[in-house]
Amino acid sequence: MRPWARLGFWLPLGAVFVWGLVVLLLREDTLRETTFTLMMFVGMASSLNILLGYTGYVSFGHIVFFGLGGYFGFYLLSQQGLWLLPAAVGGGILSGVLAGLLGLAVLRLRGAYFALATIGINEAARAFVSNFGPFGGATGLFVNFQAYQAYGGAGPALWTTFMYLWLVTLAVLLVSALVQGSRFGLGLMAIREDEDAAMVMGVAAPRAKTIAFMLSAFFPGIIGTLYFFKNGNVEPGDAFQLHMSIEALVMIMLGGQGTVVGPALGAVVYQGLRGYLLTSPLFKSLHLAMAGLFLLLIVLFVPAGAVGWLRHRFPRLRKVLT
Amino acid sequence: MILEVHHITKRFGGLQALTDVSFGLKEGEILGLIGPNGAGKTTLFNVLNGVFPPNRGQVIFRGEDITGLPPYEVARRGIARAYQVVRPLNELTVRENVMVGACYGREALPLAQAARVADEVLATVGLAGRAEQLAGSLNVAQKKRLEMARALGSRPYLLLLDEVLAGLNPSEIAAMLDTIRAIREGGVTILMIEHVMQAVMSVSDRVIVLDYGQLIAEGSPEEVVNNPQVIEAYLGDPQMTARLMGE
Amino acid sequence: MFGQLLSSLADGLLLGFVYGLAAMGLSLIWGVMTVINLAHGPVIALGMFTAYLLFTQAGVNPYLALLPVAVLGMALGLVIYGAAVHRVLNAPHLSTLLATFAVNMIIIGVGTAVFTTSPHNIDFSLGSFSLGPLTVPFTRVVAAFAALAATALLYLFLYFTRPGKAIRAVANNRMAAELMGISSTTMLALSFGLGTLLACLAGGLIATFFPFTILSGGPYELKSFVICVLGGLGNPLGALLGGLLLGGLEGLVPAFMPVSWVPVVEFGLFVLVLLLRPQGLLGAK
């Protein structure tokens, strides 16, 4: 059966499509800002899931692709005067190519060694960028206000950025669903379950893993460029927060790894929860501890995530929740 | 000859696992590979399907030198393998397990066709009713069948079977032997490592014997069990031979 | 120039002992149960704050305070093991990584609420001594000796006591150790406790010469990763050598390039070693 013949294929895509469309039609600035953050994490978690969920490799420092790609895109935009869209795609391509090169080397490591290496790469990249002249060193890069004029002023520029983010998020979900339902995806999942057995069955694991790594790095590069453009500046401290990487992992875990809906759902729930904790007078000062406790409970008691649990509990839902 | 093995030598550090092993396999044949534990049987399989390259020697498969190719390249050329210790892909369904073999094996089928092949193969090994189940939920005998189905799903020319009978009860063994014969009828050449002697003797056309990494005998089951060297190295006592051949 | 290099190298090496001590805990835990403890940094910070509280509230000498710091470290480890690690020990790596990271969030969260994130410091000095171009604060020297002593004690414990040998047996083969009548759960909990104990000690020592916040453990956690990989993951004694190597590197690199390049070199080296010699520069355990 073709993947797009299933209802489950269209569910996350449709939801994000309608969601973004509603925000674009309502044209409210605060709603756009909150949605931007949410959708950014939907995109980040879903792209990381292509590697983690399907291939089983835990990239702990995945934020490096958001940071480096974002930096490069922002550089193209602010220093070379490129338009937002080509600059963002440029950022994505840099991340993808970089993942391809790194992947050939790093993906030989398995399990926790791979996770450690990705942390190291992220820290090395952060330290490197802080010293790299063309990227502004430790102070980073800015766009001057004039640049927004080209998009009809700051307000319209932000709306344009949001629209691109919406489209990218849709693209991530589409790619994720296509990979999951494809022959390529089946090979990735075989690697996830038992890499050696998969190779003996004919799965060219080194190449498949590298492609998955590249796909999961490409989109964060685009999203990074959009995010930094929205903020108007980029600096090393913002671009390589290990914390954000781990949050993306938490979202995937929360929703269910290896599913298309799970990471998206997890991102929305996690951000919602965080927002609630941050604003609640009771938990405000303890929001981080509460989030930690919540994560611990999930890891200990619902390791398959919400969607994974539902799929196990109600096999009939498998056709809808992919 | 579908497979020619020339002078294979494999060392692990100081350990000489295989020494100058040569043999050939005719198309459509069932060749039994026997030998005491630690004789290097599984190592030989690992060399044949590319898990690690030999230190010396050549593996020629259907006229092509496949020595040192990675396992997935070997699989694509039509050699499939069923493991001694079953390795199902637990979180995938039984059908998906077989589809991996079909998608990435010799024919490299697209998904839809792979699903069809998977259903056929599952029917022949008697797992048709469990196609939708997760592979992790099968019992041991079923997992062994799945292991076999996965190898068959790739439509191989040559099938390497590593102790597929171990741990099965007599009626399951009989059923498995029928399956093996049926596979051969379908035109697949088979090389099988086996410890269940009566079974290997009854199903094999020829038998080769490994001992301490060296090939010590080769011939029909009858010749091999009467070979004094084999008796000494493996079978232990001459009575054993009588029992094996006089079932 | 040469004098400067020498003093920066001496500085780095002395710090290296403490780095090594911090990393030893991480390495021990990895060696015994192949878990990367992502709560390592906050545990180090808790060691700092315990020493701080004992010093400011009860006037305890910071070196005497190391004893209660160690006790607390052990207790903390047992609690973390029981609450977060034990259940997911055999689950995929992601589970233990996230479980220990959850503990990290909890400690940082509570710590921020209690101590805020403004810097604290222990107002304590032993003076310093000069040796040619070198000027070395005594607190650094004492810390280096303390780290060395802790390493020696760990070595004696692991190789010459019954529980120590049992821990090594469990690290080698959990199943076989069980069959020989060793309760692996007890030993796993104990080694996790030892790991956090070492981290807390390192924190207590660092607090005698650097100001700190609840987030200050983070950089030491990252350094510990680097050190563990240099010294061989799972080899606690190699961690001390790894620590010296890293400390020496931090002392030497600034002589050849701006200080801000130090982390680039450190983490670049880290990734390279992981790729080329995953058993560590100093060999397997």
Side-chain angles (χ1 to χ4, degrees):
Chain A
M1 185 157 63
R2 294 278 165 213
W4 47 87
R6 277 192 246 172
L7 175 63
F9 182 86
W10 297 105
L11 204 68
L13 278 174
V16 171
F17 181 80
V18 172
W19 181 25
L21 203 63
V22 168
V23 175
L24 280 171
L25 289 175
L26 288 177
R27 271 205 125 56
E28 222 185 283
D29 287 350
T30 47
L31 180 65
R32 183 199 63 219
E33 283 305 296
T34 47
T35 314
F36 193 99
T37 317
L38 273 176
M39 230 178 237
M40 181 169 96
F41 274 108
V42 170
M44 291 291 291
S46 299
S47 47
L48 177 54
N49 183 54
I50 295 175
L51 184 73
L52 171 74
Y54 302 149
T55 324
Y57 275 70
V58 183
S59 178
F60 240 82
H62 213 62
I63 200 71
V64 73
F65 297 115
F66 172 86
L68 277 182
Y71 245 106
F72 184 64
F74 197 84
Y75 166 81
L76 291 177
L77 192 129
S78 63
Q79 312 297 308
Q80 304 295 328
L82 247 66
W83 279 78
L84 179 58
L85 192 62
V89 172
I93 289 175
L94 178 91
S95 287
V97 169
L98 204 68
L101 295 175
L102 284 172
L104 289 176
V106 185
L107 285 165
R108 285 184 299 140
L109 300 169
R110 293 195 185 173
Y113 286 91
F114 177 76
L116 271 182
T118 56
I119 294 180
I121 289 171
N122 184 53
E123 294 304 314
R126 180 220 302 266
F128 175 77
V129 166
S130 310
N131 287 293
F132 188 55
F135 282 2
T139 43
L141 299 170
F142 301 84
V143 274
N144 58 33
F145 197 69
Q146 309 300 321
Y148 290 121
Q149 295 308 321
Y151 304 87
L158 291 178
W159 280 106
T160 309
T161 318
F162 174 77
M163 195 182 70
Y164 288 157
L165 178 72
W166 174 52
L167 295 175
V168 172
T169 309
L170 284 172
V172 178
L173 289 170
L174 182 67
V175 168
S176 174
L178 286 175
V179 167
Q180 196 204 35
S182 70
R183 182 173 169 276
F184 172 62
L186 185 64
L188 293 183
M189 287 183 247
I191 292 173
R192 177 186 74 197
E193 297 299 319
D194 185 336
E195 187 165 344
D196 295 316
M199 286 209 276
V200 168
M201 281 190 270
V203 181
R207 192 175 61 215
K209 285 188 292 189
T210 308
I211 295 174
F213 198 38
M214 290 174 76
L215 278 178
S216 80
F218 174 68
F219 295 107
I222 300 182
I223 296 172
T225 312
L226 297 176
Y227 176 72
F228 297 130
F229 178 71
K230 178 187 84 97
N231 287 356
N233 76 315
V234 54
E235 50 170 306
D238 275 350
F240 302 98
Q241 297 178 61
L242 199 54
H243 214 268
M244 259 172 81
S245 257
I246 300 176
E247 277 181 328
L249 289 171
V250 173
M251 293 164 190
I252 294 175
M253 191 86 183
L254 191 62
Q257 38 182 314
T259 65
V260 181
V261 210
L265 200 67
V268 174
V269 172
Y270 179 85
Q271 283 296 333
L273 182 81
R274 208 171 80 135
Y276 168 74
L277 289 175
L278 270 172
T279 49
S280 137
L282 191 59
F283 298 123
K284 197 170 153 201
S285 58
L286 280 174
H287 79 273
L288 194 61
M290 295 301 293
L293 193 63
F294 183 63
L295 169 61
L296 187 59
L297 293 176
I298 295 283
V299 174
L300 294 181
F301 300 107
V302 206
V307 173
W309 182 80
L310 284 173
R311 281 167 59 97
H312 262 281
R313 187 80 182 67
F314 307 102
R316 258 186 228 172
L317 284 176
R318 278 188 205 160
K319 292 205 168 57
V320 190
L321 297 173
T322 53
Chain B
M1 287 285 161
I2 185 169
L3 179 78
E4 296 166 54
V5 175
H6 296 300
H7 309 292
I8 290 290
T9 295
K10 178 71 196 172
R11 281 182 298 271
F12 296 104
L15 183 79
Q16 185 86 13
L18 293 171
T19 311
D20 201 29
V21 174
S22 301
F23 65 93
L25 201 56
K26 287 193 283 284
E27 194 146 5
E29 187 178 32
I30 297 184
L31 180 64
L33 171 56
I34 63 172
N37 284 324
K41 303 184 297 290
T42 300
T43 306
L44 180 60
F45 269 23
N46 281 334
V47 168
L48 291 185
N49 80 339
V51 173
F52 32 67
N55 296 95
R56 277 201 15 236
Q58 266 186 319
V59 182
I60 311 285
F61 181 62
R62 305 181 75 237
E64 184 190 3
D65 186 352
I66 60 162
T67 323
L69 288 182
Y72 44 88
E73 291 293 341
V74 174
R76 260 166 221 194
R77 282 164 175 72
I79 299 183
R81 172 172 180 180
Y83 276 98
Q84 175 183 7
V85 182
V86 290
R87 304 177 83 160
L89 310 172
N90 286 325
E91 292 290 314
L92 298 183
T93 64
V94 168
R95 180 186 289 120
E96 283 167 336
N97 265 267
V98 183
M99 282 166 68
V100 175
C103 280
Y104 288 92
R106 177 171 69 81
E107 293 183 320
L109 298 174
L111 271 190
Q113 270 173 276
R116 235 170 290 136
V117 169
D119 286 338
E120 280 169 36
V121 171
L122 286 173
T124 56
V125 300
L127 282 176
R130 311 203 172 261
E132 295 285 340
Q133 232 171 293
L134 290 185
S137 67
L138 297 179
N139 67 31
V140 177
Q142 290 164 343
K143 280 179 181 167
K144 291 235 157 194
R145 297 190 157 272
L146 174 59
E147 190 75 31
M148 191 83 127
R150 225 163 49 173
L152 286 178
S154 68
R155 298 270 171 94
Y157 294 119
L158 171 63
L159 184 56
L160 306 178
L161 298 178
D162 195 346
E163 293 199 39
V164 288
L165 303 178
L168 299 185
N169 66 37
S171 74
E172 286 166 344
I173 288 180
M176 192 63 112
L177 287 180
D178 286 342
T179 311
I180 291 174
R181 287 195 189 95
I183 293 168
R184 189 253 295 269
E185 294 311 313
V188 180
T189 310
I190 295 174
L191 174 56
M192 60 188 295
I193 294 177
E194 203 45 73
H195 268 306
V196 182
M197 289 303 295
Q198 297 193 347
V200 76
M201 291 300 159
S202 79
V203 81
S204 308
D205 301 312
R206 262 187 329 132
V207 174
I208 55 177
V209 187
L210 264 185
D211 185 34
Y212 289 111
Q214 283 177 316
L215 212 55
I216 58 168
E218 179 174 359
S220 71
E222 207 160 312
E223 286 161 11
V224 164
V225 288
N226 289 311
N227 180 317
Q229 224 184 330
V230 176
I231 293 171
E232 189 190 332
Y234 184 37
L235 301 174
D237 69 300
Q239 299 294 310
M240 183 76 170
T241 311
R243 254 182 288 143
L244 279 174
M245 296 318 288
E247 23 169 346
Chain C
M1 171 62 208
F2 182 68
Q4 213 176 6
L5 179 68
L6 202 66
S7 84
S8 123
L9 183 62
D11 244 17
L13 285 176
L14 284 176
L15 261 184
F17 281 100
V18 185
Y19 290 167
L21 184 65
M24 214 174 291
L26 197 73
S27 201
L28 178 72
I29 292 172
W30 169 269
V32 177
M33 57 195 100
T34 57
V35 165
I36 291 175
N37 178 18
L38 288 180
H40 195 65
V43 169
I44 295 175
L46 284 182
M48 296 170 173
F49 275 95
T50 312
Y52 169 81
L53 287 178
L54 286 167
F55 178 74
T56 53
Q57 305 298 315
V60 181
N61 176 296
Y63 297 116
L64 272 179
L66 288 179
L67 202 67
V69 165
V71 173
L72 177 97
M74 172 58 78
L76 197 63
L78 295 178
V79 171
I80 296 176
Y81 180 81
V85 180
H86 186 68
R87 259 188 82 103
V88 287
L89 211 50
N90 296 317
H93 278 296
L94 180 62
S95 294
T96 50
L97 287 167
L98 286 184
T100 53
F101 186 73
V103 174
N104 173 318
M105 288 167 79
I106 294 170
I107 298 176
I108 299 273
V110 174
T112 310
V114 177
F115 301 111
T116 72
T117 48
S118 50
H120 296 63
N121 76 310
I122 294 183
D123 194 8
F124 173 81
S125 166
L126 295 172
S128 57
F129 70 93
S130 296
L131 198 77
L134 289 178
T135 306
V136 182
F138 272 114
T139 46
R140 301 279 184 103
V141 180
V142 176
F145 274 107
L148 209 55
T151 313
L153 283 175
L154 179 70
Y155 175 78
L156 291 175
F157 174 76
L158 286 178
Y159 283 85
F160 295 99
T161 68
R162 274 185 77 85
K165 286 177 183 169
I167 284 180
R168 282 171 44 232
V170 170
N172 247 312
N173 188 334
R174 210 180 296 165
M175 197 93 91
E178 279 280 349
L179 290 176
M180 302 193 22
I182 297 170
S183 155
S184 66
T185 305
T186 314
M187 291 306 141
L188 290 169
L190 183 64
S191 34
F192 203 94
L194 269 177
T196 50
L197 182 156
L198 294 166
C200 276
L201 275 185
L205 290 171
I206 294 164
T208 60
F209 43 78
F210 288 143
F212 50 89
T213 73
I214 189 72
L215 301 172
S216 295
Y220 294 98
E221 179 175 322
L222 287 172
K223 282 187 206 301
S224 295
F225 292 151
V226 180
I227 292 167
C228 286
V229 166
L230 291 179
L233 252 175
N235 175 356
L237 303 173
L240 191 71
L241 293 174
L244 287 175
L245 208 62
L246 190 77
L249 208 66
E250 287 189 358
L252 277 181
V253 170
F256 304 101
M257 49 181 97
V259 177
S260 55
W261 281 93
V262 172
V264 184
V265 175
E266 275 177 13
F267 288 104
L269 187 69
F270 167 74
V271 175
L272 273 183
V273 172
L274 256 183
L275 287 176
L276 302 178
R277 259 188 89 80
Q279 73 274 37
L281 282 184
L282 306 163
K285 63 175 173 180

